[in-house]
Every structure is written in structure tokens, then in C-alpha cells.
Amino acid sequence: MLLILGGTAEARELAAALHERGLAVTTSLAGRVSNPRLPPGRVRMGGFGGPSGLAAWLRQHRVDAVIDATHPFAARISSSAAAACAATAVPLLRLERPPWRERPGDRWTRVADLQQAAALLQARAAALRRTPTATQVRAMTGTPAAGEARAAGGSAGGGGRRPGIRAKERLRVLLTTGRQGLAAFATLEECWLLVRCVEPPTPPLPPHHQLLLDRGPFTLAGELALLDRHRIELLVAKESGGEMTQAKLDAARARGLEVILVQRPPRPPVEAVATVDRALAWALAAAGRNP
Ligand code: NAP
């Protein structure tokens, strides 16, 4: 039996191709999304319980080979797969879509993680509005900024009470980094964020935001309309790659907007391919079939 670690369009495509050829294939999903797009073939849901749990699962189900087709930012399951497959001598292939390529007219700034993205947003907002950052306000007045007061148990609410930042002065940002890790933006008084994700995020959330629950694929026309409707000035995205969510980058380029691009986390050094076709050929060979 072949096990696909899924959660991506590529994983679904691969499962469909293998299933079509009559191979026994099981796709594993983390079970985070309430109505996931299900691939053909068998599907199992939920974590395995770390590398040892996955290794036990591979043995118990007599898995012939594993294809890790998870999202480029799902780092824990990939390292779990590397460890479990090494421990059980089950062949492992990583299917990972290539990163996006910068094109003429793009204004990309790459950062290592969401914390760096938040810090850069704060700096951009301060520079654009010529308003002081939270740290500067504290230094000037000796009083906490609005976000800090709330964090310390002060009154909750829409904010905007900090001297120097009115609602219309906030940098308007489209944030597409997903519902995980939004705590990195939780004290960002200087920005208004349009937070787009598939499922509702859990707090803490940015103090000034609007939630947009939506799932790709997105079109260029749709992304342009979204940027214009919300008067977006800057985009923050993960370096996910792939066609389904690329339109936002094309739209940002068309509008001359800066994009803060969060880089992919490191991956374990395993054999890897970039296309479903190559993963299919590998999986067929692993199952003893001719392509
Ligand atoms: P993660 O941090 O690597 O995984 C956290 C834990 O969730 C893993 O340790 C594992 O639990 C479980 N898990 C993750 N993927 C699994 C799978 N395919 N099957 C069974 N268990 C899985 O991953 P994540 O960033 O939370 O993403 C979760 C899933 O969503 C992934 O499958 C990924 O392909 C998909 N996804 C992620 C993103 C993103 O931006 N991160 C975007 C689109 C889709 P145990 O340790 O208990 O085995």
C-alpha cells in the first residue's frame, strides 16, 4: 500500500492518478479543515503521534512507500516522515512544488518568519505615516500604547486611542499567511489587516482587522478587485508556490505593491521531486508497476 501525506492539490492529483491505475493508496490528512477536499482512494484523518506513531502505522499497514506531498510550510509532519521512514526502511519521496519566481516589476521583501514580517510591517507603517512606533510612544510619553494596555489587562476594543494613529492612517495590509501564527501580529497597532484564511483563526488576533474566509483558487481579476475594494497598500504572504494562490502576487505587481514574503522552513534532506508526474513515476516504480 502507498501512503500519501496530503493536504495539498498536488497530493489529491497524485492520489487520483494512482487510484485510476488500480493501486491501493491511502491519503492522510491532518484533519484541521472542517470540509476538506477529499482525494479518491482511502483517506485517514488526524496526527499519527509523532515519528514513532507514524513508524508504528507504517508497520501495521504494511506500507510499501510514502510520498510526503504536504504543504511547504508543514515542517513537522515532513521531519516526522523522514524519521519514521528511516526507522522502518520504507522508501520516502518528497513532492514539493517549486517556489514562486520573482518577475520584473515585483517588489518582494523576503523574511524568515511571521515575527519578522510583523516587525517589518511596523517599520513600514511608521515610515509611511511618519508616526512613532509603540516603542517610541512609550519612550516619548512614558505611557503604554493601546495594544500594550490591553495586553496588560486594560480595556479591549477597536483601539485607535494611541496618539498619532487614526484609523485612516493605518497601513492597509492583506495578510494571507493562514490562520496559524496570527499571534505574531497581535500588537500591531500601526496596521489594519485584511486577514484571509480558510477556517476561522483562534485568538490572539491583530487589534485592527477584518476576517475574510475564503479558499483558492483565486483569479487575477478577483485579487485586483479585492486590493482595490479594501485600498490595500501591502501584501504579506507565505512562499507557498503553486498556481492556485499566485494571482495575489500578479495583482500586487500590477498595483505596484510591496510583498513581504515569508520563506519556507527548512526540510529534512530526502529525495524530492517538484511535479506530480515525477512523483507518479516514482510511486509506480515503488509499487513494482511500469509507468
Ligand atoms: P505540521 O505543523 O507539519 O504538522 C503538525 C502535526 O499535524 C504533525 O506533527 C502531525 O501530527 C499532524 N499532521 C500534519 N499533516 C498531517 C497529515 N497530512 N496527516 C496526518 N497528520 C498530519 O503541519 P501544519 O502546518 O499544521 O499543516 C497541517 C496540514 O495542512 C498538512 O497536512 C498540510 O499539508 C496542510 N496545509 C498546511 C498549510 C500551511 O500553511 N501550513 C497550508 C495548506 C495545507 P503527529 O505528529 O501527531 O503525527
Side-chain angles (χ1 to χ4, degrees):
M1 187 254 276
L2 296 168
L3 174 66
I4 298 176
L5 299 171
T8 58
E10 292 85 349
R12 284 192 298 277
E13 238 183 272
L14 179 62
L18 290 167
H19 183 70
E20 208 173 85
R21 286 163 175 78
L23 271 92
V25 57
T26 297
T27 298
S28 174
L29 300 174
R32 303 274 167 76
V33 181
S34 48
N35 61 338
R37 292 175 179 144
L38 294 177
R42 294 187 63 180
V43 175
R44 69 163 295 286
M45 295 272 190
F48 295 94
S52 58
L54 178 53
W57 200 96
L58 297 180
R59 285 193 195 97
Q60 188 188 344
H61 294 84
R62 297 168 180 276
V63 173
D64 297 310
V66 176
I67 299 100
D68 171 16
T70 54
H71 190 270
F73 279 82
R76 272 163 56 200
I77 187 68
S78 289
S79 65
S80 200
C85 287
T88 53
V90 172
L92 169 66
L93 181 76
R94 166 96 185 130
L95 166 56
E96 183 164 303
R97 63 179 82 137
W100 289 309
R101 283 237 196 100
E102 206 164 346
R103 297 186 199 169
D106 279 329
R107 294 176 54 212
W108 293 0
T109 306
R110 293 183 165 86
V111 294
D113 52 33
L114 294 176
Q115 284 70 27
Q116 276 193 18
L120 191 56
L121 278 182
Q122 194 177 40
R124 291 287 189 267
L128 277 174
R129 310 293 173 231
R130 300 188 190 287
T131 56
T133 66
T135 313
Q136 288 167 331
V137 168
R138 195 173 49 242
M140 285 187 299
T141 64
T143 53
E148 294 168 327
R150 282 200 296 282
S155 64
R161 290 177 295 282
R162 206 184 102 196
I165 298 190
R166 286 175 299 208
K168 66 177 183 183
E169 290 175 333
R170 292 200 177 92
L171 181 63
R172 297 179 70 83
V173 178
L174 172 60
L175 184 69
T176 64
T177 52
R179 68 177 167 146
Q180 295 186 60
L182 290 179
F185 304 93
T187 58
L188 208 52
E189 285 293 332
E190 298 83 352
C191 299
W192 176 88
L193 294 129
L194 180 61
V195 178
R196 182 167 72 187
C197 44
V198 177
E199 298 268 310
T202 44
L205 302 177
H208 312 283
H209 76 272
Q210 183 178 324
L211 203 56
L212 175 61
L213 297 182
D214 205 353
R215 170 152 74 179
F218 299 105
T219 64
L220 177 58
E223 298 293 56
L224 285 170
L226 187 75
L227 295 183
D228 294 346
R229 188 161 62 250
H230 292 281
R231 290 176 284 115
I232 297 297
E233 299 169 285
L234 198 151
L235 166 68
V236 182
K238 286 198 221 167
E239 195 3 330
S240 299
E243 286 174 8
M244 276 175 56
T245 55
Q246 190 188 313
K248 64 189 169 205
L249 299 171
D250 299 332
R253 185 188 317 112
R255 292 292 181 260
L257 304 186
E258 181 182 3
V259 180
I260 296 177
L261 213 51
V262 181
Q263 298 304 280
R264 296 177 174 188
R267 291 285 172 156
V270 301
E271 185 181 353
V273 295
T275 65
V276 172
D277 280 350
R278 292 190 60 191
L280 176 62
W282 183 93
L284 290 173
R289 291 277 194 92
N290 290 323

